[in-house]
Amino acid sequence: MNACKRVLVFGATGLIGRHIVRQILTRKDDFDRIAIFTSPDTVRSKAEEIKQLKNEGVEVLVGSLTDEADVRKAYQDIDTVVSAVGRNMIVHQIELIRLADETPNVHRFFPSEYGTDIEHNRDSSGEKPHQNKLKVRSFIRSCRNLDHTFLVTGPYADGDPGLYLSPNYGAVRTGSFDVRTKTAVLLESGDLNIAFTTMCDVGKLLLAALTHPEASRNKALRVKSFTTTDGKILEEFEKQTGGEKWQVSYTSIEELRKLEKKAWATGDHQATLITLRRIWATGGTLYHEWDNKLIGEPAVQTLAEAVATAIDVQLHGEQEMKRKLV
Ligand SMILES: NC(=O)c1ccc[n+]([C@@H]2O[C@H](COP(=O)([O-])OP(=O)(O)OC[C@H]3O[C@@H](n4cnc5c(N)ncnc54)[C@H](OP(=O)(O)O)[C@@H]3O)[C@@H](O)[C@H]2O)c1
């Protein structure tokens, strides 16, 4: 059995990459190497974060993701690549995977997924936001030497800009929880079930996939923190913000579909997120069973914990969306 002990992370200081590295570091002693590959730009612009990672024993390899020689060099003495690159770099992973497949010591690649199940049902293959990730899955399945793991987590239950427990400025009608104004927009009647994973748990579940290499080998692992509804999320926000009722309005699925159509037609950069919200609200995160138990059932967060973090992030965190949506 091939262990995942010498790990290289792409996208390590991005929205989700940061949580992944943080969780891997909690089990530092179980790994022979923990390395990140990042750009000279990031080394400059996030100097403090890079310094902190180095202090914690992370090897920082610097180069360009689009330079074959840099990537080949970074793959030396690595057995597992974890990619957490943003949506703008999804297709480029095909090149990163091709190079990994040609490198005998690399045996496992985790492409950047960490979200919606792009093969959930018959309609999934036609969804616009899924197209690039589908190409990556198809390519990696054709590799000769490389195993893969797709970590499928559903939406993040977090309050950072644009995430499900945020005010969702710019697309408020497609769902919103705004702590400052105590207002919310719920989908349909607020009673649709959605399975969520907090970003902290994405990191924990990725770590569990690394430490259970056989169980996670060549699988789409469908994991979650909890299943809940907009109504229950709202109740929890109300409870944790003084008990007062929030002002609530509703957007039907029919209206959401209209907003989605208009966003794609007008080239609105939020179109991807609106489509994903429609998929999540219409059963696209639900299964009879999840795979947490296959990878040792790590302890995951509750709705109450997720809402507490979201309140803190909404009140004290970054208010501007930095990640790339396309
Ligand atoms: N389930 C959900 O609700 C949800 C929400 C958001 C994202 N996601 C998924 O999570 C994955 C990661 O997305 P993210 O939002 O975390 O990504 P992100 O923060 O936009 O970017 C992640 C990292 O990608 C690297 N990167 C971006 N552009 C690059 C370039 N031109 N050259 C080199 N490196 C570049 C950077 O790495 P460095 O750190 O090394 O600079 C960056 O920090 C995606 O697959 C996305 O679909 C899911």
Side-chain angles (χ1 to χ4, degrees):
M1 197 244 328
N2 282 325
C4 299
K5 293 276 190 189
R6 301 193 306 274
V7 180
L8 176 70
V9 182
F10 291 131
T13 73
L15 181 75
I16 201 61
R18 212 170 250 167
H19 289 273
I20 288 172
V21 173
R22 192 86 347 259
Q23 289 302 322
I24 292 175
L25 281 170
T26 65
R27 293 272 300 268
K28 192 155 65 176
D29 294 346
D30 292 344
F31 294 91
D32 297 334
R33 282 185 73 190
I34 303 170
I36 69 165
F37 179 92
T38 193
S39 65
D41 253 11
T42 295
V43 170
R44 258 192 310 275
S45 61
K46 298 180 181 171
E48 255 325 291
E49 187 172 352
I50 297 291
K51 188 173 150 202
Q52 175 71 22
L53 289 171
K54 282 184 180 165
N55 287 344
E56 291 181 69
V58 175
E59 292 173 57
V60 178
L61 313 177
V62 183
S64 167
L65 270 186
T66 54
D67 184 308
E68 181 173 328
D70 284 355
V71 174
R72 282 194 191 278
K73 195 166 163 215
Y75 284 170
Q76 282 172 19
D77 196 35
I78 287 296
D79 59 39
T80 302
V81 178
V82 175
S83 172
V85 294
R87 277 195 164 268
N88 59 322
M89 293 297 281
I90 295 294
V91 168
H92 182 65
Q93 290 179 115
I94 290 176
E95 183 58 12
L96 302 175
I97 292 165
R98 186 184 70 76
L99 296 174
D101 194 34
E102 283 178 15
T103 308
N105 50 283
V106 179
H107 64 73
R108 178 78 61 99
F109 199 106
F110 288 68
S112 186
E113 289 253 349
Y114 323 116
T116 312
D117 187 348
I118 58 174
E119 296 176 313
H120 183 273
N121 57 54
R122 269 189 317 191
D123 296 335
S124 303
S125 62
E127 300 287 5
K128 289 194 184 87
H130 296 354
Q131 297 311 308
N132 288 341
K133 288 187 179 179
L134 285 167
K135 283 183 199 153
V136 171
R137 281 198 185 186
S138 165
F139 184 78
I140 207 165
R141 284 176 172 141
S142 73
C143 286
R144 285 169 176 269
N145 306 309
L146 199 59
D147 291 331
H148 60 263
T149 305
F150 309 134
L151 194 73
V152 174
T153 64
Y156 301 158
D158 287 83
D160 305 58
L163 300 185
Y164 208 88
L165 304 191
S166 80
N168 199 19
Y169 297 133
V172 171
R173 293 302 314 156
T174 67
S176 169
F177 295 94
D178 191 337
V179 171
R180 286 176 197 275
T181 59
K182 295 193 173 173
T183 56
V185 179
L186 311 189
L187 295 178
E188 204 68 11
S189 318
D191 55 358
L192 303 170
N193 275 312
I194 300 179
F196 293 92
T197 306
T198 64
M199 292 198 286
C200 170
D201 285 345
V202 173
K204 279 188 211 161
L205 291 154
L206 190 286
L207 169 65
L210 290 173
T211 55
H212 293 78
E214 199 49 43
S216 63
R217 184 171 162 257
N218 293 337
K219 282 206 181 66
L221 282 177
R222 297 162 343 175
V223 294
K224 68 167 179 176
S225 299
F226 49 77
T227 302
T228 192
T229 64
D230 282 1
K232 288 184 189 143
I233 295 172
L234 174 66
E235 268 176 35
E236 193 56 45
F237 268 113
E238 287 174 341
K239 193 168 139 198
Q240 294 194 30
T241 54
E244 189 187 318
K245 287 282 177 208
W246 285 21
Q247 199 182 321
V248 182
S249 58
Y250 298 88
T251 297
S252 68
I253 296 300
E254 199 189 332
E255 201 183 329
L256 184 64
R257 285 186 192 280
K258 283 187 193 150
L259 293 168
E260 178 187 0
K261 207 170 159 191
K262 187 171 166 208
W264 285 106
T266 58
D268 182 343
H269 77 290
Q270 300 267 14
T272 294
L273 287 190
I274 301 174
T275 294
L276 293 175
R277 279 177 184 255
R278 188 257 305 151
I279 292 170
W280 301 336
T282 54
T285 68
L286 302 177
Y287 312 97
H288 292 299
E289 271 189 278
W290 279 260
D291 294 326
N292 297 44
K293 60 184 175 309
L294 285 184
I295 50 173
E297 198 121 50
V300 287
Q301 294 189 299
T302 61
L303 171 61
E305 287 168 324
V307 167
T309 308
I311 291 171
D312 185 48
V313 168
Q314 282 200 33
L315 295 180
H316 309 293
E318 184 77 57
Q319 300 301 311
E320 194 192 324
M321 195 189 296
K322 295 256 169 69
R323 64 205 163 91
K324 307 276 191 307
L325 299 180
V326 283

